[in-house]
Amino acid sequence: MENKPEKKLDHGYTVDDIRVMEGLEAVRVRPGMYIGSTGSRGLHHMLWEIVDNAVDEAANGFATEVSVTINKDNSVTVEDNGRGIPVGIHEKMHVSGVEVVYTQLHAGGKFDNDSYGFSGGLHGVGASVVNALSKYVEVEVATAGKLYYMRFHSYRDDEGNMHSGVPVEPLKEMGRTRRQGTKVTFMPDDEVFETVEMNTEIVSKRLRELAYLNKGVLFRFTDNRIKGDNKYREYRYEGGIVDFVTYLNADKTALYAPPIYFQGARNTEKGMIVCEIAMQHNDGYTESLFSYVNNIPTTEGGTHETGFKSAFTKVMNDYCRKVGILKDKDASLSGDDFREGLTCVISLKMSSIQFEGQTKTRLGNTEARTAVESIVQDELTPILENLKNADISNTIADKAVKAAKAREAARRAKSMAREKSKLENAPLVGKLSSCTGRNPELNELFIVEGDSAGGSAKQGRDRRFQAILPLRGKPLNVEKRRIEQVLENDECRSIITALGTGIGEDFELKNLKYNKVIILSDADQDGAHIRALLLTFFYRYTKELITSGHVYMGMPPLYKVQKGNDVRYAYDDEELQRITKGLKGYTLQRYKGLGEMNPEQLWETTLNPENRSLVQVTIEDAAYVEHLVTLLMGDKVQPRKEYITEHADFNKVDTFEDKVKLN
Ligand code: 28F
């Protein structure tokens, strides 16, 4: 039957535009060249090629439904309600458009994408590859009220020659129909494929993915090999990739809803690029980014992802600076910080795609990076700056700030571990006068304020079990410092080295070299401040030392009462009253500091376990102490002032110690 020459098709396309290339025999000889493999992946590529042709028709706005059916005999039927493959006769080929599409490699205008628009598929090898590797292919086209039919088959002739994808007869008109669209059934050739059994889950997952990527298109899937009710599934997502991100975050806690969505298009020298992005942060820490080009998953990423990441980081840092979350002096936050907990889908539509990478799933086109960067910059900025989105924008920014802090802390901890190993190898800092005994159960470490007191303590102590570590000047206020600075401070380093336990994460109580760690400082304000600084250090970096009761404060006497050769010591005013009550003709000395006592006096009053008094440091309410340490030692001045004004009594032992429940 002579078909009339085709009228101009949409897009001004005629069947004559279909470029004709070599026959299908080549495909049979080396199928891997065309569909990757003859295993399960290659088998499913057969289906994707046909499905992508239907999806292209939908993506171009001419179809709204795509149906896939796996038949009992393992043949597969795909159908769409688009315009139908052109049935007109190709001027040069003198055969129908259907025959050209199914017998000529790279036919179907997919290679010169400009005329046919965007096409997905297995990099556009065309339906003819499916024909070459099938036992048979049946094509039905419903268009302009008529139904057309054509069958192709592959067979071996009597001489054993292979004939692939040969038309059984030209396209035939079968009568009238109200339907419109294309329906294709193909039977994968079991001489080519290791298995001809499609996998239900693989097909189902891909159809769902395509439904997300092509918003509003209905995908029906029937597997007639299944008994019972799970043989039919359908997917349609009016929200497209927004619904995709919601689905991906379904088992997580989203920080805002619905996901952020924007799209844009850019004309580049190589053609138009359309970009759609949906994104939503969850309260987790992993980043999951899913990118596609013409519905093909780009699992190895590529220039579109690079463009998104760099532009998203820039737009977010600009936002943080604009609203004051980041001050001029602050460093910018990293992309990783902004993408912590981010689920994002990028869907690009473009022509002349360059795929790279191990599995050819990385996008190489450089123009895609600049196009995505520009679209993110122009479309996301106004979304973030729109006041009605303020909480979303600030939620994202705050999470990134936290991530940056956590990252910094992790880095510090790592460098501390390195430092620790340095510490362990560091020679004992000269200051420590260690004791001769090696039994941690008995040994005591005195941390003594000032060199002169340190000198008296070294002379006055019992060197069998008493070690002396004199502190020059005040130790660091660790509350305001990073751990590296703590480790750099000589005083802190010598304490850490002397203790032997390590600090922070690496603290090991079992390595403690002393049963008692005793702080000896003057009873005046300086002494009180030093005690507070040391307790802060212990609380922040060796808290277990306190909670296991190893930390004490030595109590030097405040007064010396002497009458003749009789010497008494008073440790506070009450005691002085008791000692001097009714006493006549005595001399009274108020000790200003430890340094005023000679070694013997220091031994008698403060070091000798027989008659010294020690105050054990305990933590009754850690949370309260936590709050207090931050309050008293942190850098918020006002709250500290208020607290001290309200609570301080400078005649008593330092306020900080009182609150730490000394007993
Ligand atoms: C079940 C699989 O293959 N659907 C298809 C079309 C529609 C057109 C088309 C296909 C132009 C000439 C290259 C119709 N009218 N489903 C499908 N639907 N191919 S494949 O044209 C093919 C190109 O050959 C079509 C106007 N323009 C395009």
Side-chain angles (χ1 to χ4, degrees):
M1 180 211 82
E2 189 51 40
N3 293 313
K4 296 187 297 315
E6 186 63 2
K7 68 175 179 33
K8 275 274 180 204
L9 301 172
D10 306 67
H11 302 295
Y13 202 104
T14 70
V15 286
D16 293 352
D17 299 341
I18 295 174
R19 274 195 298 201
V20 179
M21 298 171 93
E22 68 277 18
L24 299 185
E25 307 328 314
V27 180
R28 225 351 123 146
V29 169
R30 301 161 62 93
M33 281 277 288
Y34 297 88
I35 53 169
S37 80
T38 55
S40 170
R41 282 182 66 83
L43 175 73
H44 288 89
H45 263 313
M46 297 273 277
L47 174 57
W48 305 149
E49 191 47 47
I50 304 299
V51 167
D52 285 332
N53 286 343
V55 172
D56 284 346
E57 193 61 0
N60 288 298
F62 298 105
T64 59
E65 293 186 17
V66 176
S67 305
V68 173
T69 304
I70 300 178
N71 306 306
K72 284 196 177 63
D73 64 358
N74 282 322
S75 65
V76 185
T77 301
V78 184
E79 184 171 7
D80 70 54
N81 62 349
R83 296 166 291 183
I85 301 175
V87 293
I89 295 299
H90 188 288
E91 264 174 62
K92 294 197 195 73
M93 303 283 288
H94 307 298
V95 294
S96 69
V98 171
E99 184 168 339
V100 171
V101 169
Y102 272 81
T103 58
Q104 306 304 319
L105 272 185
H106 312 314
K110 285 200 169 189
F111 262 57
D112 60 338
N113 293 290
D114 311 353
S115 55
Y116 185 55
F118 305 115
S119 62
L122 186 75
H123 316 310
V125 290
S128 53
V129 168
V130 174
N131 188 17
L133 302 175
S134 295
K135 280 194 166 128
Y136 65 82
V137 176
E138 288 181 338
V139 180
E140 287 180 30
V141 171
T143 177
K146 291 180 184 161
L147 184 61
Y148 300 83
Y149 172 84
M150 184 162 196
R151 184 183 169 88
F152 306 84
H153 63 173
S154 301
Y155 63 96
R156 204 173 292 286
D157 63 22
D158 305 347
E159 291 82 49
N161 300 320
M162 191 69 220
H163 299 269
S164 302
V166 175
V168 172
E169 57 184 338
L171 183 74
K172 252 190 339 200
E173 192 174 314
M174 308 296 283
R176 300 198 57 74
T177 178
R178 269 192 297 285
R179 271 188 322 113
Q180 178 173 305
T182 303
K183 181 178 179 181
V184 174
T185 299
F186 67 93
M187 171 64 93
D189 194 332
D190 55 6
E191 280 187 22
V192 172
F193 294 98
E194 289 140 38
T195 165
V196 292
E197 300 221 346
M198 296 275 181
N199 176 296
T200 309
E201 289 318 308
I202 290 177
V203 175
S204 174
K205 180 180 174 296
R206 176 59 180 162
L207 294 179
R208 173 157 62 181
E209 189 172 64
L210 285 167
Y212 281 125
L213 294 168
N214 295 274
K215 73 172 83 173
V217 178
L218 172 63
F219 288 80
R220 299 174 193 280
F221 174 39
T222 308
D223 189 339
N224 283 324
R225 300 170 302 175
I226 296 175
K227 306 269 174 297
D229 56 2
N230 195 22
K231 64 195 313 173
Y232 177 75
R233 309 174 201 198
E234 66 175 47
Y235 306 107
R236 172 167 44 200
Y237 301 101
E238 296 305 338
I241 60 173
V242 170
D243 290 350
F244 197 176
V245 168
T246 303
Y247 162 73
L248 292 168
N249 267 340
D251 62 344
K252 302 188 175 78
T253 307
L255 299 187
Y256 48 85
I260 292 170
Y261 173 82
F262 55 91
Q263 61 165 323
R266 291 292 184 275
N267 222 330
T268 74
E269 68 279 2
K270 299 211 180 114
M272 181 71 88
I273 294 182
V274 177
C275 172
E276 264 195 302
I277 292 178
M279 49 186 268
Q280 181 181 53
H281 286 81
N282 59 57
D283 65 352
Y285 302 104
T286 50
E287 162 194 348
S288 38
L289 182 53
F290 298 86
S291 61
Y292 299 84
V293 179
N294 296 354
N295 300 324
I296 299 164
T298 37
T299 38
E300 290 173 279
T303 46
H304 51 344
E305 287 194 16
T306 316
F308 165 75
K309 288 180 178 179
S310 56
F312 180 54
T313 305
K314 179 184 177 307
V315 164
M316 282 309 303
N317 272 308
D318 291 350
Y319 173 79
C320 289
R321 292 190 188 284
K322 183 164 189 164
V323 300
I325 291 175
L326 283 179
K327 307 279 183 297
D328 294 353
K329 66 178 173 48
D330 294 328
S332 291
L333 299 179
S334 75
D336 288 338
D337 297 330
F338 286 117
R339 295 196 307 273
E340 185 187 84
L342 175 66
T343 297
C344 176
V345 171
I346 301 172
S347 177
L348 224 62
K349 299 284 172 64
M350 64 184 283
S351 47
S352 56
I353 308 167
Q354 290 142 24
F355 283 106
E356 298 171 354
Q358 196 61 28
T359 57
K360 292 276 174 265
T361 60
R362 184 173 60 240
L363 180 64
N365 300 66
T366 50
E367 69 274 19
R369 184 175 51 72
T370 42
V372 172
E373 277 174 352
S374 149
I375 291 166
V376 172
Q377 176 72 43
D378 293 354
E379 301 303 328
L380 180 58
T381 303
I383 291 173
L384 294 171
E385 294 182 354
N386 182 330
L387 287 180
K388 77 175 174 44
N389 297 329
D391 355 3
I392 295 175
S393 315
N394 295 333
T395 298
I396 296 171
D398 294 346
K399 185 173 174 52
V401 167
K402 284 200 187 75
K405 284 202 175 113
R407 211 174 293 279
E408 177 56 23
R411 197 187 59 71
R412 277 204 316 263
K414 257 206 288 294
S415 68
M416 181 183 82
R418 273 197 302 278
E419 278 293 314
K420 183 178 81 68
S421 59
K422 259 193 251 163
L423 268 181
E424 267 150 18
N425 316 331
L428 258 192
V429 186
K431 299 181 194 119
L432 178 69
S433 305
S434 49
C435 54
T436 52
R438 285 284 164 263
N439 179 351
E441 295 299 308
L442 300 177
N443 290 350
E444 303 174 343
L445 172 66
F446 286 87
I447 300 175
V448 186
E449 173 192 356
D451 271 345
S452 62
S456 313
K458 276 180 193 170
Q459 291 171 51
R461 66 170 166 156
D462 180 335
R463 65 181 54 238
R464 290 172 301 172
F465 66 95
Q466 293 182 328
I468 305 294
L469 177 61
L471 289 184
R472 274 188 208 95
K474 292 199 176 162
L476 195 67
N477 177 349
V478 297
E479 192 59 21
K480 303 181 184 175
R481 298 289 195 299
R482 295 221 178 86
I483 188 153
E484 297 94 349
Q485 288 157 305
V486 171
L487 289 164
E488 272 149 25
N489 174 272
D490 276 353
E491 312 302 14
C492 294
R493 280 169 69 93
S494 50
I495 294 172
I496 298 166
T497 310
L499 292 174
T501 55
I503 58 173
E505 299 279 299
D506 306 294
F507 180 87
E508 287 288 348
L509 187 64
K510 65 180 182 345
N511 299 337
L512 179 61
K513 294 175 189 161
Y514 303 95
N515 179 39
K516 289 188 174 67
V517 178
I518 302 164
I519 300 172
L520 266 191
S521 65
D522 294 342
D524 59 14
Q525 278 193 22
D526 270 351
H529 188 209
I530 284 175
R531 272 195 294 278
L533 290 168
L534 286 170
L535 288 173
T536 304
F537 171 74
F538 287 137
Y539 179 73
R540 285 288 177 220
Y541 289 98
T542 62
K543 189 185 292 188
E544 206 183 329
L545 206 61
I546 298 179
T547 51
S548 50
H550 291 289
V551 179
Y552 296 81
M553 273 171 308
M555 302 304 285
L558 277 182
Y559 303 97
K560 175 182 156 190
V561 176
Q562 181 154 7
K563 183 171 178 174
N565 291 335
D566 182 28
V567 175
R568 308 280 301 270
Y569 295 96
Y571 290 82
D572 56 34
D573 293 335
E574 285 77 31
E575 197 169 5
L576 180 62
Q577 298 307 322
R578 269 197 316 280
I579 288 176
T580 55
K581 194 171 170 53
L583 191 64
K584 301 267 182 290
Y586 64 86
T587 57
L588 178 65
Q589 180 187 351
R590 168 119 167 77
Y591 284 115
K592 288 279 170 298
L594 291 162
E596 289 177 274
M597 276 185 271
N598 64 35
E600 292 70 26
Q601 287 168 337
L602 195 58
W603 162 254
E604 278 309 316
T605 60
T606 312
L607 302 181
N608 181 350
E610 298 301 312
N611 43 9
R612 72 189 177 193
S613 62
L614 294 182
V615 173
Q616 189 180 36
V617 177
T618 63
I619 297 181
E620 301 271 302
D621 172 353
Y624 182 68
V625 172
E626 175 69 37
H627 158 74
L628 197 69
V629 168
T630 315
L631 184 75
L632 287 180
M633 310 307 285
D635 49 14
K636 289 193 172 53
V637 174
Q638 190 48 35
R640 176 170 46 248
K641 264 196 191 135
E642 283 156 17
Y643 181 91
I644 289 175
T645 316
E646 190 187 329
H647 295 85
D649 167 356
F650 282 106
N651 298 326
K652 280 177 51 190
V653 163
D654 175 73
T655 317
F656 176 85
E657 293 146 356
D658 273 5
K659 292 303 160 203
V660 185
K661 298 276 180 296
L662 307 173
N663 55 42

